[in-house]
Amino acid sequence: MRKIALILMLSLTMMGMVACGRTSSSTNRSSTSSMTSSLSSTQQTRDDAALTAERLTPEQTAALVLYYRDAHMPGANDYDYSADMENNDQGATVKIYDKEAVPWGEGPSAKTYPKGAQILYTIKLTSASDEDGDRLNSTYYTIVGNKVYYANSRNGIRKTGVTLAEMVTYAKTHGEVNRVLKVAKNTQIIDMRGKVTITDKDGLTTQQLGTLVALLKNPDWFKAGVQNGEMYYGTHYGYGETVDYQYVTTQGDPTSYIWFKRKGNDVTIKMIEPTENQSVAGAPMTTTHTTVTNLINNYYTSEDQQDEVNTYADQLKAEPWN
């Protein structure tokens, strides 16, 4: 009997210890969860305080517009279009253009600017995921008075503006201020006003059209020149058969030039291309033709192609005496 009583006492003691252990473990988990929640809440409060409509920096404004636009595009209820704003070390490039000198593919195809608009801003994230169609990592917008008019889903600009205060409130309400601040922290702004020459109504710049022509005629030479920082462009050649032609050049002898002139959809291209037995001085100038449509279809259709062309175009230097 004593043995049985002893066994029962030991069993009851062990059960009590296990119960205490479970209670302690549960209490610890609850405490940890509470601390995590508290830290998260504190961080969100700090983020919210750092984003105020009255004190937005240009970088914050651009990131805020990108987030807000993504959240209000068709399909936003099914896709987190702005998810890439959370990427590690995410940043963006913002470019500022005179609205009448926006390069082709950078701004709206339908020029439905609101009355009073003078400037167009573009923003594009530095890095993007592979979720094709599920992420919207770039946009454009203009600001008139206290309202922002951003890109719609038809390559135009919304007719109805939104105040920055409304955008800030929306970001705070949905707990996404951190996305805006994260991108803004690593954003660079490039002012392109006064630096862009448009070749026709579609908005192709001299630099873009010159890049497309060079990719058609001599891509290896052109890419090497850009990489070495030796590729220049000009808007009006000064004399001879190519007077008033635009051109790209590495500033060497005549073989280092590609001249081109656009008239509507037609592009005339002139080059000096000596054969193996010809000197540069004795080589005739060759003339060929292509179309803007052909150049765009072959070199400027996909997003990757547009990025490549625009990257090259941005690196071309204006010839000093041009």
Side-chain angles (χ1 to χ4, degrees), residues 252-299:
D253 64 31
T255 62
S256 70
Y257 283 78
I258 298 179
W259 294 275
F260 56 94
K261 191 170 189 177
R262 176 179 182 177
K263 185 176 182 180
N265 193 42
D266 181 75
V267 180
T268 302
I269 305 168
K270 292 181 178 290
M271 300 172 64
I272 300 292
E273 300 179 281
T275 61
E276 186 176 342
N277 297 321
Q278 284 180 319
S279 66
V280 174
M285 181 172 287
T286 61
T287 301
T288 57
H289 291 267
T290 187
T291 64
V292 175
T293 301
N294 178 60
L295 292 171
I296 289 175
N297 287 342
N298 284 288
Y299 304 105

Side-chain angles (χ1 to χ4, degrees), residues 205-279:
T205 66
T206 298
Q207 298 96 309
Q208 286 176 314
L209 185 55
T211 297
L212 293 171
V213 169
L215 291 176
L216 170 69
K217 300 302 292 184
N218 201 339
D220 293 338
W221 164 81
F222 177 75
K223 291 177 182 180
V226 173
Q227 185 175 2
N228 295 330
E230 299 172 348
M231 191 62 66
Y232 293 79
Y233 76 95
T235 55
H236 297 284
Y237 196 71
Y239 54 89
E241 187 178 337
T242 55
V243 65
D244 287 337
Y245 272 62
Q246 298 168 316
Y247 57 92
V248 290
T249 178
T250 53
Q251 296 186 308
D253 64 31
T255 62
S256 70
Y257 283 78
I258 298 179
W259 294 275
F260 56 94
K261 191 170 189 177
R262 176 179 182 177
K263 185 176 182 180
N265 193 42
D266 181 75
V267 180
T268 302
I269 305 168
K270 292 181 178 290
M271 300 172 64
I272 300 292
E273 300 179 281
T275 61
E276 186 176 342
N277 297 321
Q278 284 180 319
S279 66

